[in-house]
Amino acid sequence: MTALGPYIPPVDEVKTRNRRRLATIGTYLWALMPLLTCGFGAPIAFATALARRRDTWTILALVVHSSLLIAACSVIGSFGEYPPLWVDVIFTVSLSVTSLASTVQLLLIRSAVWAPPARLQVPVARLSSAEVVDRARKLRDQARRTAEADPMLAKRLGIGRPDLPRQFDDGGLVDLNHAPLPVLMSLPGVTERSARQIQDWVAQSGPFGSLGEVMLVIEISPTFEHHLREYCVFIP
């Protein structure tokens, strides 16, 4: 059955941590790409950085390292199959400088390039008091229907149990059959004495099925019946 109300499935913390760990490893591999490819991966890494974070220094680094690679390859290529030793030395030094310098630069900007995007702040319209009350009443009605249709689901969602960690908004319902003493005492007209009477009755005679049953056996003033009917739920 599909849960009613704004229920959000619980987050798997282990999977979330593993994904973050893998993402961090990936960003370090990206920063080490020039070193792992003898400098030839530097343009690709800086192009990726430029796509995610456009700034002057990244553009300059992309141009400089690309130019060094092109120049080094052009020089050694112009001497044919057997270039002189000094050309080999220049080529090797150029690649070494490019790979080391670009790796250091990428490590320095890694956090900024791969920072998660800022969340868009969506302005929320302020609700009037009447709208807040009406919304809470609708949430309570939805939660009651859920409890009536599937009591086990209602227990898993924590309907009527504000003392439990939960993500389901039931509009402020209180389950008289399972809520602890402080929660019962938060209801209008329910004193510590009557709250203990409720708990004792449930423990000895079983759960209540309606507010009418509660009013018959528990010492609660009838003047509070209307208010209690608004906030009580009875989950077996």
Side-chain angles (χ1 to χ4, degrees):
M1 175 180 175
T2 303
L4 300 174
Y7 174 65
I8 303 173
V11 177
D12 191 328
E13 296 293 341
V14 175
K15 289 184 179 179
T16 301
R17 285 197 299 269
N18 289 338
R19 282 197 295 267
R20 289 176 180 171
R21 190 177 295 114
L22 288 175
T24 302
I25 293 173
T27 62
Y28 276 106
L29 289 176
W30 165 81
L32 294 173
M33 185 186 298
L35 197 62
L36 297 175
T37 59
C38 298
F40 289 100
I44 298 174
F46 279 107
T48 304
L50 191 61
R52 295 180 59 89
R53 178 175 174 268
R54 190 175 299 275
D55 62 68
T56 305
W57 290 108
T58 305
I59 296 174
L60 183 61
L62 175 61
V63 172
V64 169
H65 291 298
S66 299
S67 300
L68 283 174
L69 285 174
I70 293 172
C73 292
S74 299
V75 169
I76 197 169
S78 64
F79 284 90
E81 188 175 354
Y82 301 103
L85 180 61
W86 65 270
V87 174
D88 281 335
V89 171
I90 292 177
F91 181 74
T92 303
V93 170
S94 299
L95 291 184
S96 300
V97 170
T98 299
S99 60
L100 290 174
S102 57
T103 297
V104 171
Q105 288 177 299
L106 291 171
L107 286 172
L108 290 175
I109 66 174
R110 181 191 66 85
S111 299
V113 171
W114 297 101
R119 292 185 177 181
L120 180 63
Q121 298 295 326
V122 180
V124 179
R126 293 184 178 180
L127 300 177
S128 65
S129 299
E131 289 173 326
V132 171
V133 171
D134 184 61
R135 178 180 179 275
R137 183 177 292 111
K138 289 179 180 178
L139 290 174
R140 289 194 293 272
D141 291 341
Q142 290 178 337
R144 282 197 184 92
R145 289 197 294 270
T146 300
E148 291 172 1
D150 193 338
M152 292 303 296
L153 175 61
K155 289 182 179 179
R156 290 199 300 272
L157 296 178
I159 291 177
R161 295 297 305 276
D163 55 301
L164 298 178
R166 58 181 184 171
Q167 294 177 306
F168 185 90
D169 189 352
D170 60 11
L173 287 178
V174 173
D175 179 12
L176 261 68
N177 291 324
H178 301 95
L181 191 69
V183 176
L184 292 175
M185 291 173 59
S186 68
L187 289 169
V190 178
T191 62
E192 182 177 356
R193 176 183 174 85
S194 54
R196 292 189 184 278
Q197 289 177 347
I198 291 172
Q199 290 186 327
D200 292 342
W201 181 274
V202 172
Q204 296 172 10
S205 304
F208 290 104
S210 67
L211 183 60
E213 295 179 17
V214 177
M215 300 303 293
L216 284 175
V217 297
I218 305 300
E219 297 177 7
I220 299 177
S221 172
T223 57
F224 293 102
E225 183 174 358
H226 172 73
H227 301 286
L228 290 173
R229 195 174 301 280
E230 186 68 34
Y231 290 98
C232 289
V233 66
F234 302 90
I235 300 175

PDB file of all heavy atoms in Angstrom, residues 4 34 44 54 84 86 96-97 105 124-125 150 155 166 178 217-218 220:
ATOM      1  N   LEU A   4       0.277   7.436   2.672  1.00  0.00           N
ATOM      2  CA  LEU A   4      -0.275   8.756   2.463  1.00  0.00           C
ATOM      3  C   LEU A   4       0.575   9.770   3.200  1.00  0.00           C
ATOM      4  O   LEU A   4       1.208   9.474   4.192  1.00  0.00           O
ATOM      5  CB  LEU A   4      -1.714   8.808   2.979  1.00  0.00           C
ATOM      6  CG  LEU A   4      -2.691   7.829   2.318  1.00  0.00           C
ATOM      7  CD1 LEU A   4      -4.028   7.890   3.016  1.00  0.00           C
ATOM      8  CD2 LEU A   4      -2.853   8.148   0.844  1.00  0.00           C
ATOM      9  N   PRO A  34      47.450  13.814 -15.190  1.00  0.00           N
ATOM     10  CA  PRO A  34      48.679  14.185 -15.908  1.00  0.00           C
ATOM     11  C   PRO A  34      49.878  13.334 -15.499  1.00  0.00           C
ATOM     12  O   PRO A  34      50.685  12.935 -16.345  1.00  0.00           O
ATOM     13  CB  PRO A  34      48.883  15.652 -15.513  1.00  0.00           C
ATOM     14  CG  PRO A  34      47.527  16.134 -15.138  1.00  0.00           C
ATOM     15  CD  PRO A  34      46.869  14.967 -14.483  1.00  0.00           C
ATOM     16  N   ILE A  44      43.099  17.244 -20.998  1.00  0.00           N
ATOM     17  CA  ILE A  44      41.773  16.662 -20.740  1.00  0.00           C
ATOM     18  C   ILE A  44      41.295  17.035 -19.337  1.00  0.00           C
ATOM     19  O   ILE A  44      40.137  17.412 -19.128  1.00  0.00           O
ATOM     20  CB  ILE A  44      41.828  15.131 -20.895  1.00  0.00           C
ATOM     21  CG1 ILE A  44      42.216  14.757 -22.325  1.00  0.00           C
ATOM     22  CG2 ILE A  44      40.489  14.503 -20.526  1.00  0.00           C
ATOM     23  CD1 ILE A  44      42.430  13.276 -22.537  1.00  0.00           C
ATOM     24  N   ARG A  54      34.437  27.734 -14.685  1.00  0.00           N
ATOM     25  CA  ARG A  54      35.080  28.606 -15.665  1.00  0.00           C
ATOM     26  C   ARG A  54      35.749  29.790 -14.962  1.00  0.00           C
ATOM     27  O   ARG A  54      35.088  30.611 -14.335  1.00  0.00           O
ATOM     28  CB  ARG A  54      34.046  29.113 -16.671  1.00  0.00           C
ATOM     29  CG  ARG A  54      34.640  29.834 -17.874  1.00  0.00           C
ATOM     30  CD  ARG A  54      33.540  30.187 -18.848  1.00  0.00           C
ATOM     31  NE  ARG A  54      32.869  29.000 -19.344  1.00  0.00           N
ATOM     32  CZ  ARG A  54      33.293  28.278 -20.376  1.00  0.00           C
ATOM     33  NH1 ARG A  54      34.399  28.633 -21.011  1.00  0.00           N
ATOM     34  NH2 ARG A  54      32.629  27.220 -20.774  1.00  0.00           N
ATOM     35  N   PRO A  84      68.338  13.598 -32.001  1.00  0.00           N
ATOM     36  CA  PRO A  84      69.555  13.678 -31.181  1.00  0.00           C
ATOM     37  C   PRO A  84      69.220  13.625 -29.693  1.00  0.00           C
ATOM     38  O   PRO A  84      68.084  13.834 -29.278  1.00  0.00           O
ATOM     39  CB  PRO A  84      70.166  15.021 -31.578  1.00  0.00           C
ATOM     40  CG  PRO A  84      69.078  15.783 -32.231  1.00  0.00           C
ATOM     41  CD  PRO A  84      68.135  14.797 -32.818  1.00  0.00           C
ATOM     42  N   TRP A  86      69.965  15.628 -27.218  1.00  0.00           N
ATOM     43  CA  TRP A  86      69.485  16.843 -26.565  1.00  0.00           C
ATOM     44  C   TRP A  86      67.992  17.068 -26.810  1.00  0.00           C
ATOM     45  O   TRP A  86      67.286  17.623 -25.969  1.00  0.00           O
ATOM     46  CB  TRP A  86      70.300  18.057 -27.023  1.00  0.00           C
ATOM     47  CG  TRP A  86      70.149  18.397 -28.483  1.00  0.00           C
ATOM     48  CD1 TRP A  86      70.896  17.933 -29.525  1.00  0.00           C
ATOM     49  CD2 TRP A  86      69.177  19.292 -29.048  1.00  0.00           C
ATOM     50  NE1 TRP A  86      70.477  18.447 -30.716  1.00  0.00           N
ATOM     51  CE2 TRP A  86      69.412  19.312 -30.447  1.00  0.00           C
ATOM     52  CE3 TRP A  86      68.155  20.074 -28.532  1.00  0.00           C
ATOM     53  CZ2 TRP A  86      68.652  20.078 -31.331  1.00  0.00           C
ATOM     54  CZ3 TRP A  86      67.405  20.840 -29.402  1.00  0.00           C
ATOM     55  CH2 TRP A  86      67.644  20.839 -30.777  1.00  0.00           C
ATOM     56  N   SER A  96      57.911  16.019 -18.159  1.00  0.00           N
ATOM     57  CA  SER A  96      58.003  15.933 -16.695  1.00  0.00           C
ATOM     58  C   SER A  96      57.462  17.202 -16.042  1.00  0.00           C
ATOM     59  O   SER A  96      56.697  17.145 -15.067  1.00  0.00           O
ATOM     60  CB  SER A  96      59.452  15.701 -16.265  1.00  0.00           C
ATOM     61  OG  SER A  96      59.942  14.494 -16.807  1.00  0.00           O
ATOM     62  N   VAL A  97      57.866  18.352 -16.587  1.00  0.00           N
ATOM     63  CA  VAL A  97      57.390  19.620 -16.032  1.00  0.00           C
ATOM     64  C   VAL A  97      55.876  19.732 -16.178  1.00  0.00           C
ATOM     65  O   VAL A  97      55.166  20.134 -15.247  1.00  0.00           O
ATOM     66  CB  VAL A  97      58.096  20.803 -16.727  1.00  0.00           C
ATOM     67  CG1 VAL A  97      57.433  22.120 -16.336  1.00  0.00           C
ATOM     68  CG2 VAL A  97      59.571  20.820 -16.368  1.00  0.00           C
ATOM     69  N   GLN A 105      48.684  21.695  -9.745  1.00  0.00           N
ATOM     70  CA  GLN A 105      47.598  22.660  -9.946  1.00  0.00           C
ATOM     71  C   GLN A 105      46.225  22.001  -9.785  1.00  0.00           C
ATOM     72  O   GLN A 105      45.318  22.562  -9.160  1.00  0.00           O
ATOM     73  CB  GLN A 105      47.718  23.284 -11.339  1.00  0.00           C
ATOM     74  CG  GLN A 105      48.880  24.258 -11.468  1.00  0.00           C
ATOM     75  CD  GLN A 105      48.998  24.789 -12.884  1.00  0.00           C
ATOM     76  OE1 GLN A 105      49.211  24.025 -13.825  1.00  0.00           O
ATOM     77  NE2 GLN A 105      48.855  26.086 -13.038  1.00  0.00           N
ATOM     78  N   VAL A 124       9.613  30.184  -0.071  1.00  0.00           N
ATOM     79  CA  VAL A 124       8.395  29.499   0.360  1.00  0.00           C
ATOM     80  C   VAL A 124       7.390  30.544   0.835  1.00  0.00           C
ATOM     81  O   VAL A 124       7.707  31.403   1.664  1.00  0.00           O
ATOM     82  CB  VAL A 124       8.701  28.507   1.508  1.00  0.00           C
ATOM     83  CG1 VAL A 124       7.421  27.819   1.965  1.00  0.00           C
ATOM     84  CG2 VAL A 124       9.736  27.493   1.053  1.00  0.00           C
ATOM     85  N   ALA A 125       6.214  30.451   0.293  1.00  0.00           N
ATOM     86  CA  ALA A 125       5.186  31.407   0.679  1.00  0.00           C
ATOM     87  C   ALA A 125       4.770  31.179   2.129  1.00  0.00           C
ATOM     88  O   ALA A 125       4.640  30.043   2.575  1.00  0.00           O
ATOM     89  CB  ALA A 125       3.973  31.260  -0.243  1.00  0.00           C
ATOM     90  N   ASP A 150      -4.320   0.160   7.211  1.00  0.00           N
ATOM     91  CA  ASP A 150      -3.157  -0.709   7.432  1.00  0.00           C
ATOM     92  C   ASP A 150      -2.493  -0.334   8.758  1.00  0.00           C
ATOM     93  O   ASP A 150      -1.564   0.471   8.790  1.00  0.00           O
ATOM     94  CB  ASP A 150      -2.168  -0.553   6.275  1.00  0.00           C
ATOM     95  CG  ASP A 150      -1.102  -1.641   6.272  1.00  0.00           C
ATOM     96  OD1 ASP A 150      -0.870  -2.246   7.334  1.00  0.00           O
ATOM     97  OD2 ASP A 150      -0.510  -1.891   5.203  1.00  0.00           O
ATOM     98  N   LYS A 155       2.079   1.825  12.243  1.00  0.00           N
ATOM     99  CA  LYS A 155       3.090   1.685  13.293  1.00  0.00           C
ATOM    100  C   LYS A 155       4.488   1.927  12.742  1.00  0.00           C
ATOM    101  O   LYS A 155       5.322   2.567  13.391  1.00  0.00           O
ATOM    102  CB  LYS A 155       3.000   0.292  13.922  1.00  0.00           C
ATOM    103  CG  LYS A 155       1.763   0.086  14.785  1.00  0.00           C
ATOM    104  CD  LYS A 155       1.763  -1.306  15.407  1.00  0.00           C
ATOM    105  CE  LYS A 155       0.538  -1.508  16.287  1.00  0.00           C
ATOM    106  NZ  LYS A 155       0.504  -2.860  16.896  1.00  0.00           N
ATOM    107  N   ARG A 166      10.930   9.901  13.214  1.00  0.00           N
ATOM    108  CA  ARG A 166      10.102   9.562  12.053  1.00  0.00           C
ATOM    109  C   ARG A 166      10.168  10.689  11.042  1.00  0.00           C
ATOM    110  O   ARG A 166      10.616  11.799  11.352  1.00  0.00           O
ATOM    111  CB  ARG A 166       8.648   9.338  12.483  1.00  0.00           C
ATOM    112  CG  ARG A 166       8.052  10.559  13.186  1.00  0.00           C
ATOM    113  CD  ARG A 166       6.635  10.347  13.640  1.00  0.00           C
ATOM    114  NE  ARG A 166       6.083  11.572  14.211  1.00  0.00           N
ATOM    115  CZ  ARG A 166       4.816  11.742  14.536  1.00  0.00           C
ATOM    116  NH1 ARG A 166       3.958  10.757  14.347  1.00  0.00           N
ATOM    117  NH2 ARG A 166       4.394  12.883  15.045  1.00  0.00           N
ATOM    118  N   HIS A 178      -0.617   3.483  22.414  1.00  0.00           N
ATOM    119  CA  HIS A 178       0.816   3.189  22.467  1.00  0.00           C
ATOM    120  C   HIS A 178       1.687   4.370  22.896  1.00  0.00           C
ATOM    121  O   HIS A 178       2.864   4.173  23.194  1.00  0.00           O
ATOM    122  CB  HIS A 178       1.306   2.708  21.092  1.00  0.00           C
ATOM    123  CG  HIS A 178       0.609   1.478  20.605  1.00  0.00           C
ATOM    124  ND1 HIS A 178      -0.481   1.517  19.761  1.00  0.00           N
ATOM    125  CD2 HIS A 178       0.838   0.161  20.863  1.00  0.00           C
ATOM    126  CE1 HIS A 178      -0.884   0.289  19.503  1.00  0.00           C
ATOM    127  NE2 HIS A 178      -0.111  -0.557  20.155  1.00  0.00           N
ATOM    128  N   VAL A 217     -14.577   5.138  30.439  1.00  0.00           N
ATOM    129  CA  VAL A 217     -13.832   4.488  31.529  1.00  0.00           C
ATOM    130  C   VAL A 217     -12.713   5.347  32.105  1.00  0.00           C
ATOM    131  O   VAL A 217     -12.150   5.004  33.149  1.00  0.00           O
ATOM    132  CB  VAL A 217     -13.242   3.143  31.041  1.00  0.00           C
ATOM    133  CG1 VAL A 217     -14.354   2.177  30.654  1.00  0.00           C
ATOM    134  CG2 VAL A 217     -12.295   3.352  29.867  1.00  0.00           C
ATOM    135  N   ILE A 218     -12.368   6.440  31.458  1.00  0.00           N
ATOM    136  CA  ILE A 218     -11.259   7.279  31.918  1.00  0.00           C
ATOM    137  C   ILE A 218     -11.803   8.607  32.434  1.00  0.00           C
ATOM    138  O   ILE A 218     -12.757   9.168  31.883  1.00  0.00           O
ATOM    139  CB  ILE A 218     -10.247   7.529  30.779  1.00  0.00           C
ATOM    140  CG1 ILE A 218      -9.755   6.199  30.201  1.00  0.00           C
ATOM    141  CG2 ILE A 218      -9.065   8.355  31.280  1.00  0.00           C
ATOM    142  CD1 ILE A 218      -9.052   5.298  31.194  1.00  0.00           C
ATOM    143  N   ILE A 220     -11.912  11.901  32.246  1.00  0.00           N
ATOM    144  CA  ILE A 220     -11.626  13.068  31.408  1.00  0.00           C
ATOM    145  C   ILE A 220     -12.916  13.862  31.272  1.00  0.00           C
ATOM    146  O   ILE A 220     -13.981  13.297  31.017  1.00  0.00           O
ATOM    147  CB  ILE A 220     -11.109  12.658  30.008  1.00  0.00           C
ATOM    148  CG1 ILE A 220      -9.804  11.863  30.123  1.00  0.00           C
ATOM    149  CG2 ILE A 220     -10.884  13.887  29.129  1.00  0.00           C
ATOM    150  CD1 ILE A 220      -9.276  11.352  28.795  1.00  0.00           C
TER     151      ILE A 220
END
